[in-house]
Amino acid sequence: PGDYTWRVLARDSKAVFMGDGGKQLKVTVKPDFDFWSYRVMAVPDTTEKKNKCYYSSKDGKIYSYSEAASKSGSVDFGYYYDTTSTQKHCFYALNASQPLLGFYDIASWTKNATLLKKLPSSVNFVSQLTSGGALRTLVGGNMTSGTLNKVPLVATSAGNNVIGFRTASGKFGAILVRFISGDSPAKGTTIEVDVKVQK
């Protein structure tokens, strides 16, 4: 994607350049995917409910519980800290059963059935997922089985920590976990992600 400028140069029958007429041809290639970088999600907070823990790949925005109530139709997944799991940090679809989040009443929300799966380390978020077609091939190809509506993370120090997802509307995307601020269910715990999704 980007702007490309071309010059067309003419030569005569003796291969002598005659010039380009002073004109250039500009071609703009538009990306067929959205790339949302440096999005910070936080562990849900039980009292004020202001932490941003819901993600919309439609506009790359992160919402708190109070903000997402009127926008639940565009929320693709949430984030929370699962104290019952070995791998604590967790992404989940809103249609997943989450008894640990009972303090967030989402009974009246639209619950998009996003599918998630931890991708193999061979899928590189930066160098391979560079187009909508690559997202369909590499993410979609890995999601033919073993998909879930909730997926825990491995340690970010393990390398390329990428979670693939398919939205309720059928678009493929990927989440790159860049940084986790701590290993705690406290409301100050945050996770930084990059997200790519097909347009």
Side-chain angles (χ1 to χ4, degrees):
D3 293 331
Y4 299 87
T5 303
W6 301 84
R7 291 174 62 204
V8 180
L9 303 170
R11 294 189 297 185
D12 65 16
S13 59
K14 296 181 181 178
V16 175
F17 284 104
M18 301 169 58
D20 63 2
K23 300 208 173 188
Q24 296 180 336
L25 176 66
K26 181 180 177 183
V27 176
T28 300
V29 178
K30 293 186 177 180
D32 59 353
F33 72 102
D34 288 317
F35 179 22
W36 312 107
S37 187
Y38 295 102
R39 298 303 192 254
V40 179
M41 302 177 79
V43 167
D45 55 322
T46 60
T47 307
E48 295 181 344
K49 303 179 181 180
K50 291 182 178 179
N51 279 8
K52 295 184 181 286
C53 54
Y54 296 105
Y55 189 91
S56 167
S57 65
K58 179 180 179 182
D59 55 14
K61 291 186 178 177
I62 302 170
Y63 300 106
S64 67
Y65 171 76
S66 57
E67 293 168 333
S70 63
K71 299 175 176 66
S72 62
S74 69
V75 172
D76 294 302
F77 55 85
Y79 161 70
Y80 81 111
Y81 188 91
D82 187 350
T83 56
T84 67
S85 169
T86 304
Q87 298 166 335
K88 310 292 187 183
H89 302 276
C90 185
F91 290 113
Y92 67 99
L94 296 189
N95 69 328
S97 174
Q98 298 302 333
L100 296 176
L101 294 176
F103 51 86
Y104 279 7
D105 181 8
I106 63 169
S108 63
W109 289 22
T110 300
K111 299 177 187 69
N112 287 322
T114 304
L115 293 175
L116 301 138
K117 183 179 182 181
K118 175 74 175 74
L119 298 180
S121 59
S122 59
V123 177
N124 188 288
F125 185 89
V126 176
S127 64
Q128 291 182 306
L129 300 179
T130 56
S131 69
L135 286 165
R136 176 170 294 283
T137 300
L138 293 170
V139 176
N142 276 287
M143 295 186 71
T144 55
S145 65
T147 56
L148 303 165
N149 58 11
K150 171 179 156 182
V151 63
L153 309 181
V154 298
T156 53
S157 59
N160 194 34
N161 198 358
V162 181
I163 292 92
F165 66 90
R166 188 179 74 206
T167 67
S169 62
K171 294 180 180 178
F172 289 102
I175 307 162
L176 173 66
V177 178
R178 299 177 57 92
F179 177 75
I180 298 174
S181 69
D183 190 21
S184 166
K187 67 178 184 178
T189 299
T190 60
I191 186 169
E192 183 183 300
V193 298
D194 286 354
V195 178
K196 294 179 179 179
V197 64
Q198 291 178 306
K199 285 195 174 185

